[in-house]
Amino acid sequence: QLQLVESGGGAVQPGGSLRLSCAASGFTLDYIAIGWFRQAPGKEREGVSCISKSGKTTSYSESVEGRFTLSRDNAKNTVYLQMNNLKPEDTAVYYCAADRNPFPIFCTLQPDLRRYTQWGQGTQVTVSS
């Protein structure tokens, strides 16, 4: 069964850190573009970060640039999102998604369901004092 499972969410105070994990099962993350997205109540899903199929290129939204870092461990078949200096506006459900199409090789921060065909169930991140 093809599956993505997110973990690592929780409640933190502003300025705190969390590391989200996205573990794949049933398929390998080798040469798969992965995106992290989030959705806050009443808002549209937005892209946070993504990594290209080769793993050589990462992209970040302006709102998280410099605070979040995406990395991939192919040996563990897992992608991570390190989130530092968290702000209340980062509060959302965070999802990872896989683009298993062979092309294009670059990732996109658009939550394009034609590209990202495999999604996890999401993990809640709450930033509050």
Side-chain angles (χ1 to χ4, degrees), residues 20-95:
L20 304 184
S21 299
C22 172
S25 61
F27 67 101
T28 177
L29 290 181
D30 287 349
Y31 212 70
I32 298 289
I34 296 292
W36 279 99
F37 301 86
R38 66 187 182 187
Q39 189 165 18
K43 294 188 177 181
E44 293 186 353
R45 189 167 298 187
E46 64 171 344
V48 173
S49 181
C50 67
I51 186 167
S52 65
K53 295 185 187 299
S54 68
K56 295 180 180 179
T57 304
T58 52
S59 299
Y60 300 91
S61 67
E62 288 187 9
S63 61
V64 307
E65 180 81 51
R67 300 187 297 122
F68 290 12
T69 303
L70 189 155
S71 62
R72 182 161 74 185
D73 186 336
N74 286 344
K76 295 183 178 180
N77 216 31
T78 300
V79 173
Y80 303 96
L81 185 68
Q82 177 67 43
M83 306 187 297
N84 298 329
N85 190 22
L86 283 161
K87 304 176 180 181
E89 51 264 41
D90 294 319
T91 296
V93 177
Y94 283 70
Y95 302 88

Side-chain angles (χ1 to χ4, degrees), residues 93-112:
V93 177
Y94 283 70
Y95 302 88
C96 65
D99 177 0
R100 302 175 62 223
N101 298 299
F103 298 101
I105 63 173
F106 295 104
C107 62
T108 176
L109 291 177
Q110 295 298 317
D112 187 344

Side-chain angles (χ1 to χ4, degrees), residues 112-126:
D112 187 344
L113 298 182
R114 296 168 300 178
R115 295 277 303 272
Y116 294 104
T117 56
Q118 192 78 37
W119 290 78
Q121 82 291 348
T123 185
Q124 176 71 46
V125 171
T126 302

Side-chain angles (χ1 to χ4, degrees), residues 2-23:
L2 306 180
Q3 202 172 12
L4 290 173
V5 178
E6 302 97 333
S7 61
V12 296
Q13 293 185 341
S17 299
L18 285 173
R19 188 178 78 157
L20 304 184
S21 299
C22 172

